[in-house]
Amino acid sequence: MLNIALFGPPGAGKGTQSEFLLKKFNLFYISTGDLLRKEIAGKTKLGLEAQNIIASGGLVSDEIIVQIIEKTITDNPDANGFLFDGFPRTYVQAYILEGLMIKLNTSLNCLISINVDEEESVSRLLNRGKTSGRSDDNETVIRKRLVEYHEKTRPVIEFYKDRGIYFEIGGLDSIDNVTNKIIQIVQNELSKSLYNVVLFGYPGCGRGSQGKALAEKYGLEYVATGRMLEEEIEQKTEVGKKILELYENGQLVPDEIVVQLIEKKLENSKRVKGFIFKGFPRTLVQSYILDGLLKKHGTKISQLIEFEVPTLELINRLDARSKTDKRMPYDSSTSKIVKRLQEHEVKTMQVIEKYEQLHGVVKIDGMGTFEEVFERASNEVKNGMKHMR
Ligand code: AMP
């Protein structure tokens, strides 16, 4: 999802710029001013409450704004992203927007302020007033709106500066030049956002081979924690020696070690489009770790996929693998295979349930040839990535 907020005093050109950006990035437009005017035209309760405040140039209450904006967002769950015009207009509304974005498992990519000075605003709005039919486009009300902007709206800038997603451009340039500058900012931000997929499924469901192939096709970094641990052992690193010692004593590798390895991977993978996680998170604790690690790197889980394969087929596959040279140390006997399946049942199913409730987990039928399953998984990732941009 791509979410942009256009910011600036009344008359800065937010509405004009919106028209172009909506088409360019295929976004859903949310102008709180337009929504309020619609409520007024429809003579709704909200409209009646807002009417006099708007006519006098004041800001309507955050309570009213939350109601109209929440409804618009929840009525459009399939939107590619949102373009906000005239929102957030108060510090409280910045928090409201944060909450709404969390609900959609997304975030605001950037808040772009179009700067024009006060006299330019007044003269543009007076000009617009000749044809707009808006009762608030007259000089007394315009001046009041600008006072409100300076007192209540400008503090919002600090909120987004702190989060590193505030940008400003001069609004006195030609319309085309302002548009081009906005596009540049948006594209630059987009190139920074990562697409992160977590693959779930019982051992033997094919998530490893599918994960590797998906990573290759979509330019994502494949993060398989089991493999990463083995690499440390092979390369005889300090961590590797510790892991070997734990393995030899039949102990589990503690989460601290896995966290370090994933952090290293996130830090060293600079030019990737995102990550595919396989084999992590396996426990609820690990799921919180992954959420935290991604947050620390300014990103988050974009998509969760679970490959579904019936239990008997899993046992067949793991048993068959145990008779080939692809055999893993942990599928060398029936009891080990059953133990791994049980481990998944007990620990990892809780993680899937957690994410199911939070963002939804896409189920993919894991039966069929590798190519058939790959096509299903690939379509999901492709759609997910398209949705993000
Ligand atoms: P606009 O069309 O954005 O210029 O908004 C026109 C008027 O609607 C403003 O002067 C406010 O009275 C009201 N309004 C629009 N958006 C908001 C908002 N986010 N918070 C409070 N009042 C708003």
Side-chain angles (χ1 to χ4, degrees):
M1 251 188 165
L2 167 66
N3 302 296
I4 309 171
L6 285 185
F7 193 84
K14 302 187 290 290
T16 309
Q17 292 299 331
S18 295
E19 283 174 33
F20 184 82
L21 294 172
L22 291 175
K23 285 193 212 113
K24 166 94 185 155
F25 294 109
N26 186 21
L27 302 174
F28 190 90
Y29 184 50
I30 299 192
S31 152
T32 41
D34 283 356
L35 291 172
L36 289 167
R37 283 185 284 278
K38 221 184 271 168
E39 296 284 335
I40 294 173
K43 296 193 167 50
T44 64
K45 190 166 162 284
L46 278 183
L48 293 175
E49 271 180 60
Q51 193 161 20
N52 290 338
I53 304 170
I54 293 181
S56 71
L59 290 187
V60 306
S61 70
D62 294 328
E63 284 72 20
I64 291 186
I65 296 299
V66 110
Q67 288 176 55
I68 55 167
I69 212 151
E70 182 166 44
K71 183 170 178 329
T72 314
I73 286 182
T74 41
D75 281 353
N76 294 283
D78 296 328
N80 219 11
F82 295 98
L83 174 65
F84 298 98
D85 167 358
F87 174 84
R89 242 180 170 101
T90 63
Y91 210 77
V92 169
Q93 289 180 16
Y95 279 106
I96 293 172
L97 181 54
E98 288 280 285
L100 290 170
M101 294 283 99
I102 289 174
K103 212 168 155 181
L104 296 177
N105 187 32
T106 182
S107 55
L108 189 72
N109 296 73
C110 46
L111 180 120
I112 303 171
S113 175
I114 308 174
N115 295 346
V116 293
D117 60 49
E118 182 149 342
E119 289 318 306
E120 177 72 14
S121 284
V122 176
S123 94
R124 285 186 185 181
L125 291 177
L126 283 176
N127 210 17
R128 183 174 79 181
K130 291 179 195 154
T131 52
S132 70
R134 277 175 58 165
S135 63
D136 57 349
D137 280 348
N138 68 73
E139 183 151 1
T140 321
V141 178
I142 292 169
R143 298 246 176 235
K144 172 79 195 308
R145 285 160 68 194
L146 285 166
V147 170
E148 290 283 82
Y149 173 74
H150 285 287
E151 285 181 0
K152 298 184 183 151
T153 307
R154 280 195 63 88
V156 167
I157 292 176
E158 292 310 314
F159 186 96
Y160 292 100
K161 269 190 182 164
D162 287 348
R163 281 157 181 75
I165 54 168
Y166 172 76
F167 302 88
E168 55 183 25
I169 48 181
L172 295 182
D173 227 339
S174 69
I175 293 179
D176 282 353
N177 282 351
V178 173
T179 309
N180 286 334
K181 283 183 192 156
I182 296 178
I183 291 174
Q184 232 171 34
I185 294 171
V186 173
Q187 279 175 336
N188 198 25
E189 283 309 290
L190 266 180
S191 69
K192 284 193 216 154
S193 46
L194 299 175
Y195 198 73
N196 304 311
V197 185
V198 178
L199 298 184
F200 287 117
Y202 278 87
C205 72
R207 53 196 178 152
S209 42
Q210 295 291 343
K212 263 181 254 164
L214 288 169
E216 186 158 333
K217 177 160 180 186
Y218 294 104
L220 305 170
E221 183 80 19
Y222 180 60
V223 185
T225 43
R227 183 73 204 116
M228 279 157 67
L229 295 173
E230 280 166 35
E231 272 170 15
E232 293 293 320
I233 298 176
E234 281 162 18
Q235 290 163 13
K236 297 192 170 56
T237 63
E238 280 310 305
V239 181
K241 286 180 204 157
K242 220 184 284 174
I243 299 168
L244 192 60
E245 212 178 288
L246 290 162
Y247 276 176
E248 282 169 356
N249 292 328
Q251 288 172 297
L252 288 176
V253 179
D255 285 339
E256 283 74 11
I257 289 186
V258 183
V259 172
Q260 278 173 31
L261 295 182
I262 296 182
E263 271 232 85
K264 199 163 80 181
K265 190 93 170 176
L266 292 179
E267 266 155 27
N268 293 342
S269 310
K270 290 287 178 242
R271 264 188 284 280
V272 297
K273 289 198 205 145
F275 295 89
I276 291 200
F277 293 91
K278 177 247 159 183
F280 189 90
R282 269 185 154 82
T283 61
L284 269 184
V285 170
Q286 290 183 356
S287 76
Y288 285 106
I289 292 173
L290 182 63
D291 293 339
L293 279 176
L294 291 176
K295 177 127 189 138
K296 187 172 159 197
H297 288 264
T299 183
K300 61 184 176 345
I301 295 176
S302 317
Q303 191 175 37
L304 299 118
I305 294 177
E306 182 184 10
F307 292 98
E308 291 186 316
V309 172
T311 314
L312 287 179
E313 171 68 11
L314 293 171
I315 296 173
N316 265 336
R317 288 187 189 178
L318 292 172
D319 181 55
R321 187 167 77 182
S322 75
K323 295 184 179 108
T324 69
D325 54 4
K326 283 199 189 148
R327 175 182 54 240
M328 299 288 176
Y330 39 73
D331 49 31
S332 54
S333 73
T334 314
S335 64
K336 282 189 184 166
I337 290 173
V338 171
K339 190 157 176 271
R340 287 186 71 213
L341 296 176
Q342 275 171 338
E343 173 106 356
H344 186 278
E345 178 90 47
V346 174
K347 299 200 176 136
T348 313
M349 285 314 282
Q350 291 179 19
V351 181
I352 299 177
E353 272 158 31
K354 167 187 153 178
Y355 286 123
E356 184 76 77
Q357 281 169 13
L358 276 178
H359 330 296
V361 177
V362 177
K363 315 276 179 195
I364 288 186
D365 179 4
M367 293 295 279
T369 64
F370 173 85
E371 287 74 21
E372 283 164 352
V373 180
F374 184 67
E375 197 182 332
R376 287 173 212 140
S378 189
N379 281 339
E380 291 295 338
V381 174
K382 189 165 67 196
N383 285 338
M385 291 178 102
K386 204 162 77 192
H387 203 62
M388 178 169 102
R389 259 121 232 259

